[in-house]
Amino acid sequence: MMNNLLEISQLYKSFSNHGEMILRGINLTIKEGESVAVVGESGCGKTTLGKVIVDIHQPTSGTVSYRGKNIREMNKKEYREYRLKVQMVQQDSFAALNPYKTIYQSLKAPIVAHKIVKSEQEARKTVSALLEDVGLTPTSHFIDKYPHQLSGGQRQRILIARAISVKPEIIVADEPVSMVDVSLRISLLKLLRKMNEKYGISFVYITHDLATARYISDDGKLIVMYLGEIVELADITEATSNPLHPYFRALIAAVPKGINIGHQQMPALPLKGVDIPNIKQLPKGCIFHPRCIYAKETCSQNKPLLRNCNNTEVACFFAEEIDNLQQENEIGHPV
Ligand code: SF4
């Protein structure tokens, strides 16, 4: 049985005192060695969630606990350990690397700072091994180069090498392949997967691209976010083969033909509206109701909470009925 590494409880996040909540009521557990894909459109709060996990952003209310301890109640040593063990790989590899430092200098800094190596010779050997681990071989071709001398995909591998250099337990990867050439995306995702299998590192993979989310793991979790809330949470295979929430079904239906993410091809799911509501004026009741073709009167008055339906956590009053329709292949018709 895998132990819980990180637990988020009743997380709310706003960036100003009386401002709108970017995240609302998030509960999430990340277990040892688990991969969690977080999907949703721009502005749904997934990047903010990633930054809360690594404590770049602090919750407005709610808690983040690492190995059972609230990170706000940790002593200095415990907090240092948490920051070391929970790393982030960012989207923009160019901005994330110092342009005036060679790859060796950039990769050496954290392992020296955290006393993982004790001598220059050991540092060089360790950096070479890291480069090899992330597929940048022969390592002598890369170790003394500057970031601008590498491609986007190679720089992204450097960021992964830097993250694993401190032996983390969780890596939050925020759209790590979105700025990389399409042809290289799958090999980078396979690299993350290899790191998960080889070192047992848990991954939180944040993306707007459902097709790539499926590559990160066969047995991980999938979280679907909409306007700062989790609307569906399930085993990734279960979720993609049997989506329940109407928003998630619309995302699945929009996966381009020819891309197989283990889902059934289904006709485009009509939405009442294409525009995402303004987060400053959230709809009453179910936040998805203005766009939902299945909405009934109660949906505009009452808020559905996440609840279990066929091994999936879903925030929809009518998930069972919608699921039955799906089984009968009557997708697209309102209940
Ligand atoms: Fe649609 Fe109602 Fe379900 Fe919300 S609760 S997703 S509006 S059917």
Side-chain angles (χ1 to χ4, degrees):
M1 181 116 165
M2 293 188 292
N3 291 322
N4 290 349
L5 271 184
L6 193 113
E7 287 173 75
I8 292 175
S9 177
Q10 279 304 309
L11 167 68
Y12 286 77
K13 175 66 187 168
S14 164
F15 286 100
S16 58
N17 279 348
H18 302 290
E20 62 280 1
M21 289 289 172
I22 306 296
L23 295 173
R24 291 181 308 283
I26 304 287
N27 294 300
L28 174 64
T29 302
I30 300 165
K31 294 182 186 296
E32 281 175 344
E34 186 175 47
S35 294
V36 180
V38 183
V39 300
E41 292 161 294
S42 300
C44 71
K46 56 192 189 305
T47 292
T48 305
L49 174 62
K51 289 185 174 174
V52 168
I53 291 173
V54 294
D55 207 30
I56 292 173
H57 294 326
Q58 287 71 45
T60 304
S61 66
T63 57
V64 177
S65 302
Y66 172 69
R67 289 207 172 271
K69 184 138 196 194
N70 182 340
I71 63 168
R72 292 279 82 84
E73 292 167 2
M74 286 178 166
N75 61 34
K76 270 191 184 162
K77 188 168 172 262
E78 289 166 335
Y79 183 74
R80 217 181 302 126
E81 175 79 1
Y82 149 74
R83 288 301 299 257
L84 190 65
K85 294 293 179 188
V86 185
Q87 292 285 317
M88 189 163 198
V89 171
Q90 291 183 344
Q91 182 178 24
D92 185 352
S93 60
F94 208 67
L97 288 166
N98 185 332
Y100 302 110
K101 284 190 174 173
T102 64
I103 299 310
Y104 173 61
Q105 289 166 330
S106 286
L107 291 182
K108 185 178 95 165
I111 55 176
V112 168
H114 295 292
K115 300 188 174 58
I116 290 168
V117 293
K118 293 182 185 68
S119 67
E120 190 69 27
Q121 199 187 11
E122 202 186 340
R124 190 112 188 145
K125 220 170 130 189
T126 304
V127 169
S128 287
L130 284 167
L131 292 177
E132 197 159 339
D133 229 358
V134 297
L136 292 175
T137 53
T139 58
S140 55
H141 281 195
F142 300 96
I143 196 162
D144 294 315
K145 292 224 160 102
Y146 288 89
H148 73 271
Q149 295 174 299
L150 303 183
S151 70
Q154 289 165 342
R155 280 197 301 271
Q156 207 63 37
R157 282 172 190 265
I158 299 293
L159 292 189
I160 295 168
R162 188 168 67 181
I164 62 167
S165 71
V166 293
K167 306 186 185 343
E169 290 184 314
I170 300 178
I171 291 181
V172 178
D174 184 11
E175 302 272 15
V177 298
S178 64
M179 292 173 79
V180 173
D181 197 76
V182 177
S183 59
L184 296 171
R185 287 183 187 171
I186 297 305
S187 66
L188 272 170
L189 292 170
K190 282 185 176 158
L191 174 63
L192 293 182
R193 201 169 157 146
K194 182 182 133 194
M195 297 297 116
N196 167 255
E197 286 162 5
K198 187 170 174 184
Y199 298 115
I201 301 170
S202 302
F203 274 91
V204 179
Y205 174 55
I206 295 170
T207 183
H208 65 279
D209 181 3
L210 199 51
T212 62
R214 193 64 187 78
Y215 274 95
I216 199 76
S217 166
D218 283 333
D219 55 3
K221 264 193 314 226
L222 182 78
I223 288 173
V224 183
M225 290 188 67
Y226 183 73
L227 285 175
E229 296 179 12
I230 294 177
V231 295
E232 185 153 339
L233 189 163
D235 168 270
I236 201 162
T237 316
E238 174 72 28
T240 48
S241 63
N242 190 25
L244 293 181
H245 195 279
Y247 170 65
F248 185 35
R249 289 170 36 123
L251 289 184
I252 291 267
V255 171
K257 274 206 169 74
I259 294 182
N260 182 7
I261 57 166
H263 64 303
Q264 294 170 9
Q265 288 290 349
M266 47 178 164
L269 183 71
L271 295 171
K272 274 193 201 160
V274 286
D275 295 331
I276 304 173
N278 188 331
I279 200 146
K280 291 182 181 166
Q281 291 168 328
L282 283 176
K284 209 179 149 205
C286 172
I287 47 168
F288 191 58
H289 89 261
R291 301 173 74 192
C292 182
I293 56 164
Y294 301 110
K296 294 182 182 179
E297 202 183 333
T298 184
C299 305
S300 59
Q301 301 301 321
N302 300 301
K303 188 169 180 57
L305 300 176
L306 272 183
R307 65 187 178 90
N308 191 284
C309 170
N310 300 344
N311 296 324
T312 294
E313 298 282 310
V314 59
C316 171
F317 293 125
F318 302 109
E320 285 83 359
E321 285 146 84
I322 295 168
D323 190 31
N324 287 340
L325 278 182
Q326 183 168 297
Q327 306 300 341
E328 292 161 17
N329 277 330
E330 289 183 37
I331 293 156
H333 297 287
V335 282

